[in-house]
Structure formats: C-alpha cells, structure tokens
Amino acid sequence: MDNPWIRQNVALKEAHAELLTVTATRNHRLQATWLDPASGRQEQVTVDVSQEHFPSLTPMLPEVAWDEREIHDVFGYVPEGHPDLRPLLRTPRWPDNFRPLRDQPRARPTWRDAEPDNPALTVEGDGITIMKVGPTHAGVIESGHFVFSLMGENVLNLDAHLFQNHRGVESLLEGQTIDAVGAMVTRICAADTVSHQTNWALAVEALAGYDAGATLTLDRILLLESERVVSHLNDLAQIPAGVGFQVAHQQALAIKEDWQRGLQRLYGHRFLFDTVRPGWVASVDPENLLRLVHAIGRSWTPWRRLVEGHHGFNDRMAGVGVTTRAEVVRFGGQGVVARAAGKAFDARTLLPLYQDLRPVPVLESDGDVRARFAVRIHEVEASLRLIEQAAERLRRQTTPRDAHWRPPDEVSGQVVVYTESPHGLNVHEVAMDRGRVLRYHIRAATYRNWPLLAHAVPGNAVADFPLINKSFELCYSCTDR
Amino acid sequence: MSHIRHSLQIRHVDAGSCNGCEQELTALTSAAYDFQRVGLDWVASPRHADALLLTGPVSDPMARPVERVWAAIPAPKWRIAFGDCAAGCGVFQAAYGIHGGLPEADLVIRGCPPEPGAALQQLRDAMQAMAPHPDHTVGG
C-alpha cells in the first residue's frame, strides 16, 4: 500500500469513483482514468513501467484482473503480484515475443501449429465432472468457451475462456485517418454500435474543441435510445427462450422486428450502422419516429402484461443467478446487471449530451434473473419516453439543423470519452497525432460484467446457465475486439 | 440428392462476427421470416448438417474449430459465407487476428449484416441451384 500507484487508485475506489480505463502505452507508461459520479470529473493516475514490471492493482482491486492480464499479453509488461496471470487474449498459437500493441505488427504473425486452448481452472476431487461447452455452439450464438466444474447438477466453478473472436481491432485502428476509423468503430459490436460511434465522435469533437449544437445532440439521443430499444427487446426475447416460454420469446422477437423495420425505413439500417460521425449525425423527421414509438406501444403493452402475469415464468426467474450489490461494486459491474442489484449508476445522468432530459436510473435490488428482466422492461419504456421528449424538442426547433462540421486534419491529443450503451458504461480512450490514431482503447461494459457472470453461476444448477447467461446477455465482440 | 430442394439443415459457426449477423440469423427463425416453413433449420450437431454457415472474418482461435466442424459434416455438403466479413470483404480484413473469411464458399450472402428477407431468398434460390451438384467429398 505504500506504492503511490496502488494507494491513489485504491483511494479513488474508496471514494466511490467509477473506473473508466486502465491502459498501457508503448513508452512504458500505465494510466488509470476514474470518473467521479457526483461531479462528472475525471481523475488520472499514472505509473512508469520499470524493467518491464509494474505493481499489480488486482489484489486490492479485483475488477482490473483482466485489464492487467490483457496488458501482459499485448504489451508484455508484467503486473507484479497478480494472483492469476494466465493468458487472456494470448493463445498457444501466438509466436514468441508477439506483443501486438507494443510492436505494431505490419503483417499477420505466423501462427504456431498448436491448439488455441489455454489451460482451464477446474475443481478436482471425487465425483466431480468437468463439462466443456464451446467454442462452437449448438445454436446461433457468438463463440465462447466455458469450462464447468460440476458436482451432480450443481456448478462449483465456471472458467470462461473468451477472446475466441479476438480480431485485433485496437491494433488495426492505429495509424488510421479520421475518415477511416468510423466504419471500423461502427462494427466493433452490432448491439452497441451507436454507443461506439458516438464515443468516437465525442472524442474527435473534444480534441478539436467543437461544441455540438442542440439539434445534433438531440438527433444522437434518438439514435442511442433507439439502439437501447433494439438491444433490450432482443434480450427480453432471449430470457423467456431460456425457460422454453416460446410465446413470449416469439412475440418479443416480433416487436423487435417491427422496431428494426421502422429503423430501416427511417435511417436505412436495422442496427443503425454508420449513423454517427464526428460533427455529423443521421437525422429523420421526428414525426416519423414518434409514429413508430406509438405503433410499438400497441404490441408492447399486451406483451408486458403476458410476461408479468405469468406466475410460472416469474417463479422460474426469481432467486436464480444472484449477484449482490457488494459483488457488483467489487467487480466494477455495469449497466443492467449493476442496476438490477441496486447500484444506481447510469452514465446518461452525467453526460452533457442528455443535459436537461434528466434520465433517472432504473433500479431493482434482488440482483437475480427476474430483476435484470424487470430493469430492461422499465428501461425500454424509459427509452421510448426519452425518444418522445427528444423528438418533441426537435419538432419545436425553429433554427435550421447545424451545418455539417468537418474535423480539421491536424487533430492531436488524448481523451477518455464514454456513453451508456445498452450494456452499460462504454468507454473509449483515444490518442490522436496530427489526424491519425496513435492509440485506441475500447473498454465495454461487458468486459467488467463477464467476471461477474462467472461469479454468479456457481451454486446454481447447470441447467440454469442458459437462463442466467441470457439475463446478463453480454456481448462477446465488445469484449474480444 | 434432390432432398436439398426441400430441406437444408445448417450448422452455424461464428468466427469473429460483431453479433449483427447472429441477430439476423435469429430473426430468420422468428414468425416474420419463419425459415422452417421452407425446409431450413439450424442443427445442433455438424453430423446432422448439410451445410456450414459461417459468420465473421475467421479469428485465429476459431480457425481450427471451423475446420473440425466442416470435417464433421457428412458429404455431400456446402459452405455458406454469411455477411461481408465471412465473404472476405469486411472492414477487419487487415487486422492481425483474422484469417480473412471463408475460402471456397458455395454460397456467399453479402451484407453488413445481410438483410434477413433478402438472405432467406438467396438461401431458397441456392437450395434449388445446389441440388444437381452435390459432389463435395468429406474434408473437401
């Protein structure tokens, strides 16, 4: 604790700050950026990497366990005192000394002729069964590899091996021009694409000193909230599927389909790809979006009555996959998962973007599948109301839409920006040098929530894993990058 | 092999997708598209499959699992590249971690992600077109 890096970071955590990012750079420096949820101010702590080592924060702050393992894999800096320094992104197929973010590879590496699996953590003893799931799956889902240690039907341990979908996005972004970045950032993750796009736009605008006007801001809120509706409807459809409640599953998919067809009609894309750029946003006649909101309400209300009135379904969700508020705080959990356990954090309350619309975090306290389901239901309705408010304001706007601002070619500097994606606090740390990306770090909410999921599953029956997993509904692509 | 005209059983593997393709594949099962009505379905095992449908640009950790799934599908069999990444023309083509899509695809469904209505039509057309040429061998 006498180390200033550890002391300062622990002090910020104890002062209830939210960790935004822990990033390393090629010039042997680490930087932690924290957010004070009371004031919205950011605080930064830095440390030098000395002879390839830096003091690990993980024993005091377990939420950075993965960040430090990642830094070890992609930079080769060793977190001294880390309790579990197994590879996270690195696989046995990576060549020796392949440190992609440190060495800026110009070509693809020559992969070793080896299996990609990293060693799994399992429980050993009489009567214990090891069950491996993935990386390919029986249904249509993203790829992940899960190793369960079971005693009968009870899960003793879950070791989640993600990063099967690791593309190398951060490395690819380095050296790109402002015009080239947008299409890539859009496709980090389809479920949180608007949030990623908005982060990139906010980063460039902040570095260039551009102040987005009211119309631009309101149009972005329409997109961010429309995306939340798509994503939450998807998750609300998947949770009943996890217990075989097919009517609720299919009806929710039908509502989602109607919503996406509306977005396709208005914005030209069912997931809103390529709708936000620095200084620009796709805009529609607010009247048309209001009509879509009203149309959705007609099928939403009966669906909500169906799922809330079904006792069997609600009994099935109650008490399953519990995460407590204390665990959420300890692991830095975010988004629906955190709010369902009673942690009142929603980045929208801090964003200048939302100014006087004043969104209020939706809270539940039980931290189980039912609570996560309920938070999403309330957040869909809150998002539809926010869309109505923003659209009403746009309709009343008498000033013409802001002219398209083009960022200057010579944008330089470093900034940490964030939005509340459908999955929670989504952070980008962007460093630019004369209009080109020097370093781009993406820390999605799901990165924080995956370790929490692995923690919530033990103690439950293995047959409940799909239900618990779907109630967290964590994206792999945001995490794997 | 005319059964292909009436039924195509598909094993899906994601190899680095952004989850957009997966969501649209799930939409195909919904009432709006209901792809089972034309004989299409997902199967849980490659042993039951006629085709491998791949999404994503093929991330390195998934390269071997994809090969194994393909080897486990009995001949005759088809490869379907779903989406621009699997087609080898996505935005992440130059990233260090990827192999660049599905080689030798029998059917390429473009789009980022493909729109489900159009994708369903292409799958139906392909079911008709594939039938006379089902001569791939195991591992081929």
Side-chain angles (χ1 to χ4, degrees):
Chain A
M1 274 295 274
D2 55 347
N3 182 292
W5 167 250
I6 297 177
R7 195 177 54 241
Q8 289 168 30
N9 280 299
V10 169
L12 282 160
K13 178 74 180 179
E14 283 171 353
H16 309 293
E18 288 294 326
L19 180 64
L20 293 173
T21 50
V22 183
T23 45
T25 58
R26 267 186 289 284
N27 46 7
H28 292 78
R29 244 176 129 66
L30 252 66
Q31 174 174 290
T33 306
W34 295 78
L35 174 68
D36 174 4
S39 66
R41 266 206 315 274
Q42 293 184 14
E43 293 217 34
Q44 292 188 330
V45 189
T46 59
V47 69
D48 287 328
V49 178
S50 161
Q51 288 165 349
E52 307 299 305
H53 286 66
F54 65 94
S56 170
L57 296 172
T58 300
M60 299 297 293
L61 300 172
E63 68 190 273
V64 303
W66 279 23
D67 301 73
E68 292 187 339
R69 285 168 70 185
E70 179 173 326
I71 287 170
H72 182 234
D73 285 346
V74 298
F75 283 97
Y77 306 149
V78 183
E80 192 105 51
H82 194 293
D84 175 18
L85 206 50
R86 289 176 300 153
L88 189 71
L89 282 71
R90 169 177 292 275
T91 75
R93 291 171 52 76
W94 286 28
D96 282 342
N97 301 317
F98 178 58
R99 309 286 180 188
L101 286 186
R102 182 160 169 181
D103 306 330
Q104 291 179 289
R106 286 281 163 253
R108 285 183 195 147
T110 307
W111 303 107
R112 282 171 184 273
D113 186 17
E115 293 298 322
D117 302 343
N118 280 313
L121 272 188
T122 55
V123 181
E124 286 174 21
D126 285 345
I128 288 168
T129 309
I130 304 302
M131 188 176 93
K132 293 184 173 183
V133 180
T136 63
H137 294 281
V140 175
I141 19 175
E142 293 178 272
S143 292
H145 183 45
F146 301 98
V147 183
F148 294 89
S149 299
L150 307 175
M151 175 65 92
E153 294 202 358
N154 295 320
V155 180
L156 298 178
N157 187 56
L158 164 60
D159 193 18
H161 289 232
L162 297 169
F163 304 96
Q164 310 294 327
N165 283 349
H166 178 59
R167 293 162 283 185
V169 174
E170 291 185 8
S171 166
L172 181 66
L173 285 168
E174 291 187 0
Q176 303 285 351
T177 61
I178 290 178
D179 285 342
V181 169
M184 296 176 188
V185 167
T186 289
R187 288 158 182 82
I188 293 167
C189 170
D192 294 354
T193 176
V194 178
S195 169
H196 286 299
Q197 295 173 55
T198 305
N199 278 355
W200 163 239
L202 292 175
V204 174
E205 290 165 9
L207 290 175
Y210 172 76
D211 202 6
T215 348
L216 192 82
T217 300
L218 288 167
D219 275 324
R220 284 180 181 170
I221 290 174
L222 294 182
L223 287 160
L224 285 161
E225 298 309 317
S226 294
E227 158 163 281
R228 198 176 324 278
V229 172
V230 176
S231 181
H232 279 12
L233 283 173
N234 181 66
D235 302 352
L236 287 167
Q238 295 303 336
I239 293 170
V243 296
F245 189 8
Q246 279 297 321
V247 178
H249 169 61
Q250 284 294 344
Q251 288 187 6
L253 281 182
I255 302 171
K256 181 193 174 200
E257 179 67 23
D258 284 344
W259 184 250
Q260 283 190 291
R261 285 185 183 183
L263 297 180
Q264 164 85 41
R265 216 166 39 240
L266 295 178
Y267 291 102
H269 199 278
R270 288 162 57 90
F271 293 92
L272 305 171
F273 282 13
D274 305 309
T275 52
V276 182
R277 285 202 295 272
W280 180 84
V281 64
S283 57
V284 297
D285 181 351
E287 206 69 56
N288 290 335
L289 197 57
L290 283 170
R291 265 199 287 276
L292 184 61
V293 169
H294 296 146
I296 284 298
R298 283 196 290 275
S299 43
W300 167 261
T301 308
W303 181 83
R304 184 177 166 174
R305 267 202 299 273
L306 168 75
V307 291
E308 289 186 337
H310 195 295
H311 297 298
F313 177 50
N314 285 283
D315 285 351
R316 193 66 188 70
M317 293 190 290
V320 178
V322 175
T323 37
T324 63
R325 189 177 181 281
E327 286 165 339
V328 164
V329 171
R330 187 161 169 263
F331 285 97
Q334 293 298 341
V336 169
V337 173
R339 291 190 287 276
K343 179 181 157 186
F345 181 77
D346 183 327
R348 286 178 292 176
T349 59
L350 295 171
L351 282 169
L353 194 67
Y354 285 83
Q355 304 177 39
D356 46 356
L357 289 175
R358 301 197 186 289
V360 181
V362 174
L363 283 184
E364 288 279 328
S365 57
D366 290 347
D368 55 2
V369 174
R370 193 206 57 77
R372 292 187 280 276
F373 189 76
V375 166
R376 287 193 182 90
I377 284 187
H378 292 296
E379 288 192 356
V380 166
E381 296 186 348
S383 287
L384 293 174
R385 277 197 299 276
L386 278 170
I387 292 171
E388 284 174 340
Q389 289 169 17
E392 281 296 343
R393 283 176 197 211
L394 272 171
R395 196 157 65 169
R396 287 201 304 269
Q397 286 273 331
T398 46
T399 51
R401 286 180 190 277
D402 309 309
H404 181 194
W405 170 80
R406 272 199 66 83
D409 295 335
E410 297 287 291
V411 173
S412 294
Q414 188 256 349
V415 68
V416 179
V417 290
Y418 59 87
T419 43
E420 182 78 16
S421 83
H423 290 87
L425 177 67
N426 179 24
V427 189
H428 288 197
E429 182 168 332
V430 184
M432 302 288 296
D433 181 33
R434 285 164 294 158
R436 285 185 185 269
V437 174
L438 205 57
R439 171 94 173 89
Y440 206 124
H441 182 59
I442 301 136
R443 179 55 66 244
T446 48
Y447 194 92
R448 303 265 172 252
N449 286 347
W450 272 111
L452 206 51
L453 170 68
H455 203 72
V457 170
N460 291 271
V462 68
D464 278 344
F465 177 68
L467 178 62
I468 300 168
N469 195 23
K470 285 174 191 308
S471 76
F472 275 71
E473 196 62 30
L474 308 176
C475 18
Y476 299 65
S477 50
C478 270
T479 298
D480 296 359
R481 290 156 287 144
Chain B
M1 289 305 133
S2 61
H3 76 278
I4 272 323
R5 289 181 195 276
H6 306 294
S7 158
L8 187 70
Q9 305 290 295
I10 304 171
R11 167 76 171 187
H12 162 252
V13 178
D14 158 34
S17 144
C18 74
N19 202 20
C21 287
E22 281 65 32
Q23 288 200 44
E24 295 302 39
L25 293 173
T26 301
L28 287 179
T29 67
S30 74
Y33 303 97
D34 191 15
F35 78 159
Q36 288 174 327
R37 82 197 140 88
V38 295
L40 288 156
D41 208 355
W42 309 123
V43 286
S45 165
R47 297 292 189 206
H48 295 155
D50 304 306
L52 163 70
L53 183 145
L54 187 112
T55 53
V58 185
S59 53
D60 182 67
M62 290 308 295
R64 283 197 176 188
V66 169
E67 279 173 24
R68 289 206 180 107
V69 167
W70 176 246
I73 298 175
K77 55 182 169 179
W78 289 266
R79 292 184 186 89
I80 303 168
F82 190 89
D84 285 352
C85 285
C89 40
V91 296
F92 298 115
Q93 194 68 6
Y96 71 77
I98 69 158
H99 289 254
L102 181 67
E104 300 173 61
D106 300 288
L107 171 62
V108 177
I109 300 176
R110 290 286 308 269
C112 184
E115 193 273 310
L120 181 57
Q121 190 56 49
Q122 285 184 69
L123 282 164
R124 295 183 70 174
D125 292 346
M127 283 164 73
Q128 302 303 318
M130 280 172 179
H133 310 289
D135 53 4
H136 293 289
T137 53
V138 173

